[in-house]
Amino acid sequence: MILPLAATIFYLYTVAEDQYASTFGFAVRSEEISGAQSLLGGLASLSGNSSSDTDILYEFIQSRSLIEKVDEQLDLDTIFSRPEYDPIFAFDPDGTIEDLVDYWQRMVRISYASNGLIEVRVNAFDPQEAKTIAETIVSESTTMINDLSAIARSDATRYALEDLEQAVSRLKSTREALTKFRSETRIVDPKADIQGQMGLLNSLEAQLAETIIEMNLLMDTARDNDPRVDQARRRIAVIQSLIEQERQKFGMGGTSRVDDGKDYSTLVGEFERLMVDVEYAQKSYLAAQSVLDTAQAEAQRQSRYLATYATPSLPQSAQYPKRITLSMLTGLIMLLAWSIGVLVYYSLRDRR
């Protein structure tokens, strides 16, 4: 037991290189400015941290993607393998990127608080290098948050533009259908045309009633072969024919139709359907335009940013490895192993 403990203490105090720790902390914040109406009562408001963005950053700092970016800028192989005589705490310069990712988990420790605050500790064998790695992590994290914001703004605006294009296309098609209807029927508004036709029908019915009265008065004083009676009868027949034609236009009897084969009831139904389509398309267009304006405004007003409440520090003394702690843990483990070994030995001896 003494020899392993002595070897551990010797290694920690004579071979193991000092490690310096640079720490920093941050949270993801979202600034959201209210609209024009809200501005009358109050200005901008800062929302709380975005938990989803914080989760993404938590995983990003431990990801291979970040490690490769930091390695390209700082050459992590050289930084972490500088004490070549330290096979336990130093990184093997011949190691693969997977080995570097595993080693990164040892040198970069992340703590994630429930309130969305992230604190990162970066260990290195040189104080300035520890700070440089920490600053690079902050820089890359900021870049990632900016990229997320740009993607969110782009997606919101793109979807709103697509909806607006569909609304414009729908509005154009409905208006073209209404124009085609008016061109084919030569009627701008069937309702207004019906009012005119109803006025004509009422006038004919009034003339018919007046002519019938005149004929009845003539028949009381004149003979059947009186020319005036014949003229009144022919007038009545003509007026009745005109009235029947007008009623057929309204679909009120008979089998004949207007010139295009449709009565006014059918025309009015088609016209109302087209008007409903146009009205719906107009409302959809206005709604899509409003959504686009809102999306563009929100894209300019909202922004995510990395709020660093503790900037990367420059360590002044080596805090790692914890030589006393590791020595005591090694001694405790050796003691436990020795105790277990003694118990096993005596247990086996007593069975003999």
Side-chain angles (χ1 to χ4, degrees):
M1 184 186 74
I2 301 299
L3 290 178
L5 178 60
T8 301
I9 294 174
F10 174 80
Y11 183 86
L12 289 174
Y13 282 91
T14 60
V15 178
E17 188 76 12
D18 290 340
Q19 296 182 20
Y20 299 85
S22 175
T23 60
F24 64 92
F26 63 84
V28 180
R29 307 289 291 183
S30 176
E31 183 177 2
E32 187 171 326
I33 303 178
S34 56
Q37 295 179 352
S38 300
L39 286 175
L40 297 177
L43 294 176
S45 62
L46 287 177
S47 67
N49 56 281
S50 174
S51 59
S52 60
D53 293 337
T54 305
D55 293 338
I56 292 174
L57 271 183
Y58 179 82
E59 298 297 332
F60 174 70
I61 294 175
Q62 305 175 79
S63 68
R64 174 173 173 172
S65 175
L66 173 65
I67 296 172
E68 290 177 342
K69 292 179 180 179
V70 176
D71 187 30
E72 290 177 359
Q73 299 180 42
L74 304 179
D75 190 8
L76 293 177
D77 292 345
T78 303
I79 292 176
F80 288 146
S81 62
R82 180 160 299 164
E84 298 178 357
Y85 51 87
D86 188 351
I88 296 179
F89 292 102
F91 176 70
D92 183 3
D94 297 328
T96 63
I97 183 62
E98 288 78 13
D99 297 330
L100 182 59
V101 171
D102 293 337
Y103 187 79
W104 178 273
Q105 313 304 322
R106 295 169 49 189
M107 302 300 283
V108 178
R109 297 300 180 92
I110 309 173
S111 60
Y112 186 5
S114 59
N115 57 0
L117 300 179
I118 291 182
E119 184 172 341
V120 182
R121 188 195 76 209
V122 180
N123 287 8
F125 300 105
D126 180 85
Q128 185 59 49
E129 289 177 347
K131 181 181 179 182
T132 301
I133 294 175
E135 291 174 343
T136 305
I137 294 175
V138 173
S139 176
E140 293 296 333
S141 300
T142 302
T143 301
M144 182 184 182
I145 288 298
N146 292 337
D147 292 341
L148 290 176
S149 299
I151 293 173
R153 290 194 299 266
S154 176
D155 287 345
T157 304
R158 177 166 57 86
Y159 294 147
L161 281 173
E162 291 177 356
D163 292 341
L164 180 60
E165 291 176 356
Q166 293 178 358
V168 170
S169 177
R170 184 186 300 113
L171 182 59
K172 287 182 178 179
S173 62
T174 55
R175 286 182 173 177
E176 288 174 356
L178 181 60
T179 301
K180 181 179 179 181
F181 169 83
R182 288 171 172 169
S183 176
E184 291 178 350
T185 61
R186 290 173 292 180
I187 299 175
V188 176
D189 187 352
K191 294 182 179 180
D193 194 77
I194 286 176
Q195 292 178 357
Q197 295 293 336
M198 287 297 297
L200 176 59
L201 182 59
N202 293 335
S203 176
L204 290 173
E205 289 178 344
Q207 294 180 29
L208 177 62
E210 182 181 354
T211 305
I212 291 175
I213 293 173
E214 291 179 357
M215 186 184 70
N216 290 335
L217 292 176
L218 286 173
M219 291 180 65
D220 290 340
T221 58
R223 298 178 180 179
D224 292 341
N225 58 357
D226 192 313
R228 291 176 298 174
V229 175
D230 293 337
Q231 183 178 6
R233 288 174 178 170
R234 289 195 300 269
R235 180 179 176 85
I236 290 173
V238 171
I239 295 175
Q240 288 177 339
S241 176
L242 292 175
I243 290 175
E244 181 64 22
Q245 293 178 8
E246 294 300 322
R247 287 180 175 177
Q248 288 176 0
K249 292 181 180 180
F250 293 101
M252 299 172 60
T255 58
S256 63
R257 295 287 186 265
V258 293
D259 295 340
D260 60 354
K262 297 180 181 179
D263 54 38
Y264 270 106
S265 60
T266 304
L267 293 177
V268 171
E270 291 185 3
F271 178 77
E272 289 180 347
R273 178 182 61 81
L274 291 173
M275 288 301 297
V276 169
D277 291 343
V278 171
E279 183 178 359
Y280 175 78
Q282 288 176 341
K283 290 182 179 180
S284 299
Y285 168 75
L286 293 176
Q289 183 65 55
S290 177
V291 170
L292 177 60
D293 293 341
T294 302
Q296 291 176 340
E298 292 299 323
Q300 297 175 356
R301 291 172 180 171
Q302 292 184 4
S303 61
R304 298 183 183 93
Y305 64 95
L306 203 65
T308 306
Y309 62 86
T311 58
S313 59
L314 178 63
Q316 296 183 354
S317 60
Q319 301 294 324
Y320 300 91
K322 299 289 187 179
R323 292 180 171 86
I324 296 178
T325 302
L326 292 176
S327 298
M328 293 179 64
L329 287 176
T330 302
L332 180 60
I333 293 173
M334 293 295 103
L335 179 61
L336 290 175
W338 177 81
S339 300
I340 293 173
V342 170
L343 291 175
V344 171
Y345 170 76
Y346 281 106
S347 176
L348 294 176
R349 190 187 68 173
D350 291 343
R351 290 183 179 181
R352 294 178 180 179

